[in-house]
């Protein structure tokens, strides 16, 4: 897994490297510049003319050093440092002095023609410490870069965004084709407006050190998560690989229960039984004969209790609806479940009622519970508006998980998973996952890995399933295009993901 830091944490690591390890700031700046130039040579090998737009701080110092190194390689470079020279950082002043000693001209104004004509424009105006919107001169520069530049590379983070929330802080922020960030990924680069502005992300080691046990940080889940998923035993049988009860679908909705159940079977659950309205049974028999089923017409408490006793894990919610009968089914599950419970879709909508929340607290105190809301469902649960959740996903998810004692999988283009104390980010998917039924597939995969007990820690199974879902969606988009991905395509790719 990969460390994911806030701006404050990153600044603390930078400071500690300079003070404890006595590595001068200028050395780190030169290392950063070298890494950016290496990326340029790899990604833009045919680029010969460069426009470098720098700000008044150390990010600007990086930019001047990059400009010098490119010029020494025989490239045509225009380097512009904006702002009041009296307020430049000491490191920036040093870099300007070094560059001028090589005969470079450092301009103190924006040269629009340079940006229009350059093969590559480099944004080095502001780094991760930005706390407010770009002021007039820099805002104008960002607008010109976005309007005129052929291609844009951002240094550390595109200028104009909060490095923690990803929020655009003012009117304008630079939109990059590629961002070279240093040492560790920053949380805001995966969230909010900044996610779309980063472009391709390159993380380069420049010698800044994170001291584990001292610095608190979040985790970005990657393929290493599969190391914690135990292999299926050689003497396994279907009964030893989990018994999952999927309570899904309604009188007029069949697809959700089909997708979640097929997802669970395809990711390894030994036995899957679908408890759904009788109208769905014929379709399930025809399209998913590997599953078992139990159909109902009216709510029957005794029959449902028998199904609950059969299972070792329950997934409830996909396509269930919010009718009176659905409420009674949901309430009985909260009361009687004595094993892990995964709540998705309409289960979350039902949970938003205050009566259900109180019962939910009792359930989560008794058994592990996972909820999988998207932002609108989280709004219904918490009363926090989607627009506010979008820039504060981590805190909103943590607060709910802590209050109700559950694991929250807050779904967005970057998904956040938390039990209220630790936080993991999952960024393995792409925009192809924005397709109907994708969430049902994820819920089925999460329930599947939990039911199989792939790790003693349920949050590991949740993280593994979420990462798997994202990777499968990404692979599916390579075959069908991001607009052509269907939920069933995601399921089809599960078996092609190495590690599970």
């Amino acid at each position: 897994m990969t460390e994911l830091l806030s701006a404050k944490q990153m600044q603390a690591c930078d400071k500690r490297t300079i003070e404890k390890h006595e590595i001068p700031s200028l050395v780190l700046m030169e290392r950063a510049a070298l890494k950016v130039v290496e990326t340029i040579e790899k990604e833009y090998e045919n680029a010969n003319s460069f426009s470098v737009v720098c700000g008044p701080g150390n990010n600007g110092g990086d930019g001047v050093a990059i400009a010098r190194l490119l010029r020494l390689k025989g490239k045509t470079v225009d380097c512009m440092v904006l702002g009041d020279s009296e307020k430049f950082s000491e490191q920036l002043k040093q870099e300007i002095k070094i560059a001028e000693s090589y005969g470079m001209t450092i301009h103190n104004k924006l040269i629009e023609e340079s940006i229009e004509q350059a093969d590559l424009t480099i944004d080095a105006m502001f780094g991760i410490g930005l706390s407010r919107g770009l002021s007039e001169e820099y805002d104008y520069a960002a607008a010109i870069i976005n309007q005129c530049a052929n291609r844009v590379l951002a240094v550390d983070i595109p200028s104009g965004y909060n490095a923690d929330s990803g929020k655009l802080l003012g009117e304008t922020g630079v939109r990059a084709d590629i961002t070279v960030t240093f040492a560790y990924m920053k949380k805001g680069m995966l969230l909010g407006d900044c996610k779309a502005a980063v472009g391709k992300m390159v993380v380069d080691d420049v010698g800044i050190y994170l001291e584990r046990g001292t610095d608190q940080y979040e985790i970005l889940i990657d393929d290493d998560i599969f190391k914690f998923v135990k292999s299926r035993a050689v003497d396994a049988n279907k009964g030893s690989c989990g018994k999952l009860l999927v309570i899904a679908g309604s009188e007029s909705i069949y697809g959700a229960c089909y997708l979640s159940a097929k997802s669970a079977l395809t990711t390894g659950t030994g036995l899957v039984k679908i408890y759904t309205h009788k109208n769905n049974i014929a379709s399930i028999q025809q399209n998913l004969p590997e599953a078992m089923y139990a159909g109902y017409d009216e709510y029957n408490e005794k029959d449902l209790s028998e199904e609950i006793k059969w299972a070792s894990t329950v997934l409830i919610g996909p396509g269930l609806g919010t009718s009176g009968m659905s409420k009674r089914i949901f309430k009985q599950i909260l009361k009687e479940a004595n094993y892990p419970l995964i709540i998705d879709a309409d289960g979350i909508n039902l949970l938003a009622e205050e009566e259900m929340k109180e019962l939910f607290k009792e359930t989560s105190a008794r058994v592990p519970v996972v909820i999988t809301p998207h932002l609108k469902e989280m709004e219904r649960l918490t009363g926090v508006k989607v627009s506010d959740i979008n820039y504060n996903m981590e805190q909103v998810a943590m607060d709910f998980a802590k209050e109700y004692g559950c694991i929250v999988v807050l779904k967005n283009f970057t998904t956040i998973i938390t039990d209220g104390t630790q936080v993991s980010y999952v960024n393995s998917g792409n925009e192809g996952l924005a397709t109907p039924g994708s969430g049902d597939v994820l819920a089925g995969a999460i329930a599947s890995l939990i039911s199989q007990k792939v790790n003693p820690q349920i949050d590991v199974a949740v993280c593994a399933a979420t990462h798997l879902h994202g990777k499968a969606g990404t692979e599916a988009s390579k075959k069908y295009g991001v607009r052509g991905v269907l939920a069933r395509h995601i399921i089809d790719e599960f078996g092609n993901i190495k590690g599970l």
Side-chain angles (χ1 to χ4, degrees):
M1 277 79 82
T2 304
E3 294 86 357
L4 191 64
L5 274 63
S6 68
K8 185 177 180 180
Q9 290 164 341
M10 187 66 238
Q11 289 162 347
C13 291
D14 193 37
K15 183 179 180 182
R16 188 179 296 112
T17 301
I18 294 168
E19 295 180 353
K20 180 177 180 179
H21 301 291
E22 299 185 3
I23 299 176
S25 176
L26 203 65
V27 170
L28 296 177
M29 192 170 284
E30 289 293 316
R31 287 178 178 175
L34 283 166
K35 289 295 185 180
V36 172
V37 172
E38 286 178 8
T39 297
I40 290 171
E41 291 177 328
K42 179 181 177 181
E43 300 286 340
Y44 304 106
E45 58 181 348
N46 296 320
N48 290 303
S49 60
F50 298 85
S51 179
V52 185
V53 185
C54 305
N58 287 353
N59 195 252
D62 293 336
V64 173
I66 293 164
R68 167 173 48 84
L69 293 174
L70 288 171
R71 185 174 182 276
L72 290 173
K73 289 179 176 289
K75 307 295 184 180
T76 300
V77 183
D78 284 321
C79 184
M80 297 154 266
V81 183
L82 309 182
D84 183 355
S85 60
E86 295 296 320
K87 297 180 181 179
F88 288 173
S89 71
E90 289 304 313
Q91 287 81 4
L92 171 57
K93 291 177 181 177
Q94 285 180 280
E95 288 291 359
I96 291 173
K97 185 176 180 181
I98 294 169
E100 289 177 337
S101 75
Y102 280 92
M104 281 191 69
T105 299
I106 305 297
H107 304 279
N108 195 216
K109 64 178 182 179
L110 191 71
I111 306 173
E112 295 181 25
E113 296 82 2
S114 174
I115 297 172
E116 292 174 357
Q117 298 169 11
D119 294 329
L120 180 68
T121 295
I122 297 170
D123 164 34
M125 289 192 290
F126 292 96
I128 62 173
L130 193 67
S131 59
R132 60 179 183 273
L134 299 176
S135 58
E136 187 174 347
E137 183 178 14
Y138 304 105
D139 184 82
Y140 179 74
I144 293 297
I145 291 171
N146 291 340
Q147 179 182 341
C148 300
N150 292 320
R151 292 171 293 187
V152 179
L153 181 148
V155 177
D156 211 16
I157 187 172
S159 296
Y161 302 88
N162 183 286
D164 293 338
S165 69
K167 185 175 184 179
L168 176 62
L169 293 169
E171 295 296 322
T172 312
V174 172
R175 296 191 297 271
D177 297 291
I178 187 168
T179 298
V180 180
T181 195
F182 306 125
Y184 305 99
M185 296 178 76
K186 288 70 178 183
K187 292 191 288 187
M189 301 174 80
L190 303 178
L191 303 171
D193 309 304
C194 193
K195 167 76 172 183
V198 165
K200 179 180 178 180
M201 192 188 311
V202 176
V203 183
D204 273 327
D205 178 14
V206 295
I208 297 173
Y209 301 104
L210 178 71
E211 293 192 5
R212 289 162 179 79
T214 301
D215 300 301
Q216 297 298 314
Y217 53 88
E218 280 69 52
I219 292 294
L220 177 68
I221 298 298
D222 55 32
D223 286 356
D224 281 350
I225 188 67
F226 294 134
K227 295 178 182 178
F228 302 97
V229 176
K230 67 179 182 181
S231 301
R232 179 172 285 188
V234 295
D235 60 347
N237 60 69
K238 62 185 180 182
S240 66
C241 293
K243 296 165 69 177
L244 174 63
L245 180 64
V246 176
I247 302 176
S250 55
E251 186 173 358
S252 59
I253 297 176
Y254 156 69
C257 61
Y258 164 76
L259 289 168
S260 55
K262 185 175 182 180
S263 173
L265 283 165
T266 307
T267 49
T269 302
L271 294 167
V272 173
K273 183 183 285 189
I274 303 171
Y275 184 76
T276 189
H277 193 276
K278 67 176 186 178
N279 288 1
N280 298 324
I281 299 304
S283 296
I284 293 171
Q285 287 176 310
Q286 182 176 358
N287 293 299
L288 196 62
E290 299 88 348
M292 298 181 288
Y293 59 88
Y296 61 83
D297 187 13
E298 299 291 337
Y299 170 67
N300 186 304
E301 182 177 357
K302 183 178 179 181
D303 287 349
L304 181 55
S305 288
E306 290 303 311
E307 302 302 342
I308 294 171
K309 291 175 184 176
W310 169 86
S312 62
T313 306
V314 168
L315 164 62
I316 185 169
L320 184 65
T322 56
S323 66
M325 184 160 56
S326 297
K327 290 180 182 179
R328 290 192 288 274
I329 291 171
F330 184 66
K331 184 180 289 187
Q332 185 175 344
I333 287 294
L334 290 180
K335 288 180 178 179
E336 296 185 14
N338 285 309
Y339 36 68
L341 173 63
I342 297 86
I343 303 175
D344 180 55
D346 283 326
I348 295 169
N349 294 329
L350 291 168
L351 182 60
E353 298 182 9
E354 288 304 316
E355 176 190 6
M356 295 294 189
K357 284 183 179 178
E358 289 305 312
L359 186 56
F360 177 68
K361 278 188 176 181
E362 297 175 11
T363 307
S364 59
R366 184 177 72 249
V367 298
V369 181
V370 179
I371 66 169
T372 59
H374 55 58
L375 299 195
K376 189 63 179 178
E377 290 165 343
M378 200 66 183
E379 179 184 79
R380 297 186 189 113
L381 279 179
T382 63
V384 181
K385 292 182 179 179
V386 167
S387 56
D388 294 328
I389 297 173
N390 192 43
Y391 299 117
N392 198 24
M393 287 179 61
E394 181 179 308
Q395 194 60 54
V396 172
M398 286 189 70
D399 288 346
F400 190 90
K402 191 177 295 184
E403 180 177 359
Y404 289 94
C406 63
I407 294 174
V408 175
V409 182
L410 184 52
K411 300 180 293 191
N412 204 359
F413 42 75
T414 295
T415 293
I416 287 177
I417 300 170
T418 181
D419 62 357
T421 56
Q422 296 180 322
V423 181
S424 297
Y425 286 60
V426 179
N427 190 47
S428 54
N430 65 10
E431 55 270 37
L433 290 175
T435 188
S438 177
D440 304 321
V441 174
L442 173 60
I446 290 173
S448 175
L449 296 196
I450 291 175
S451 72
Q452 295 174 67
K453 300 180 180 178
V454 298
N455 189 288
Q457 296 177 268
I458 283 181
D459 60 328
V460 173
V462 173
C463 288
T466 307
H467 179 66
L468 173 70
H469 174 261
K471 289 202 72 175
T474 298
E475 290 304 309
S477 70
K478 295 176 183 178
K479 294 182 179 179
Y480 303 100
V482 294
R483 288 184 171 88
V485 174
L486 300 177
R488 71 184 76 143
H489 298 150
I490 302 170
I491 296 173
D492 291 342
E493 290 299 322
F494 282 152
N496 297 325
I497 305 300
K498 294 181 179 180
L500 185 63

